[in-house]
Amino acid sequence: MKKPIALLTGAGTGLGKELALKLSHTHTVILIGRRENLLNELAAVINTYGRALAVPCDITEPNEIEQLMDKLVRESLLPVDLVIHNAGIGRFGNVEDTSSLDLELMFKTNVFAPIALTKTLLPHMKKQKNGTFLFILSTAALRGKSNESGYAASKFALRGFAKSLVKETEPFGIRVVRTYMGGMNTPFWEHGDHVKDPSRFWKPSEVAHLIMEQIHEKDEIVIESKKHQAKGSST
């Protein structure tokens, strides 16, 4: 029997990689990201027991999304059954020091890119009247955070899109799952000193496990940071 198909953005490292490894036992996985070497390494591992296709793609570029779709058509990998919007970037600092370039980059990557990819893949899901979109958001999409104004704004925007998508896709049997996580120990933090010690955060493998445990039953998954959980348990 043909396996369902999962497509993951930001699949080369961190949470995207761990989700791909978990899904690879039950799905054909399409690995999307900018770093071809990392995608190829992961695909090589998965292809020893399952099927993975590494597709280097900058989803902020419309022409590269078109090329991605052409490849999926050639490989007979449409419709996609599960789309995981995991790719994202953060630039942190106080409001007055946040550059227009950083704001534009965050919105281009965190908002416009997943919207564009959704628009492209959605018609195929509608035809089969089935499928799931999983939006990897952040607890920054639930509440404002100091020195994260631009990042939080981009995640609030994506959350608004995802919640609106719920209303539009429900008649077609399509689910839209939103996941809100606290910090993870991933390369996400390498571009600044906003977080001094990411090793105290969740491991990506731990978060992937929690998501896969809940994805079939919950439309909203909240995974608070370990620090936040500790505060809650002591009150």
Side-chain angles (χ1 to χ4, degrees), residues 99-146:
S99 71
S100 296
L101 185 61
D102 280 345
L103 286 171
E104 183 179 339
L105 184 61
M106 284 188 285
F107 271 80
K108 190 176 181 182
T109 305
N110 299 349
V111 185
F112 301 142
I115 290 175
L117 187 58
T118 298
K119 283 167 56 68
T120 305
L121 293 169
L122 182 57
H124 300 276
M125 271 195 192
K126 281 185 172 180
K127 284 181 182 177
Q128 74 170 2
K129 295 190 180 297
N130 187 40
T132 300
F133 287 96
L134 172 61
F135 286 83
I136 303 298
L137 295 161
S138 164
T139 50
L142 297 174
R143 52 184 177 268
K145 297 185 179 185
S146 178

Side-chain angles (χ1 to χ4, degrees), residues 67-192:
Q67 292 169 14
L68 166 64
M69 292 303 294
D70 288 343
K71 189 170 186 65
L72 297 185
V73 169
R74 291 196 305 271
E75 298 283 342
S76 299
L77 290 172
L78 288 172
V80 174
D81 300 283
L82 171 62
V83 178
I84 300 182
H85 290 300
N86 171 69
I89 63 164
R91 297 291 183 266
F92 305 105
N94 56 43
V95 174
E96 62 269 30
D97 292 333
T98 303
S99 71
S100 296
L101 185 61
D102 280 345
L103 286 171
E104 183 179 339
L105 184 61
M106 284 188 285
F107 271 80
K108 190 176 181 182
T109 305
N110 299 349
V111 185
F112 301 142
I115 290 175
L117 187 58
T118 298
K119 283 167 56 68
T120 305
L121 293 169
L122 182 57
H124 300 276
M125 271 195 192
K126 281 185 172 180
K127 284 181 182 177
Q128 74 170 2
K129 295 190 180 297
N130 187 40
T132 300
F133 287 96
L134 172 61
F135 286 83
I136 303 298
L137 295 161
S138 164
T139 50
L142 297 174
R143 52 184 177 268
K145 297 185 179 185
S146 178
N147 294 319
E148 297 188 18
S149 57
Y151 178 69
S154 72
K155 289 299 186 176
F156 264 86
L158 187 59
R159 178 189 177 196
F161 172 75
K163 295 194 79 169
S164 298
L165 190 64
V166 172
K167 307 293 185 183
E168 288 193 28
T169 59
E170 196 171 30
F172 297 92
I174 297 169
R175 295 182 65 224
V176 180
V177 181
R178 290 86 66 203
T179 298
Y180 310 92
M181 297 115 39
M184 280 188 298
N185 184 11
T186 74
F188 180 85
W189 305 107
E190 290 176 354
H191 298 284

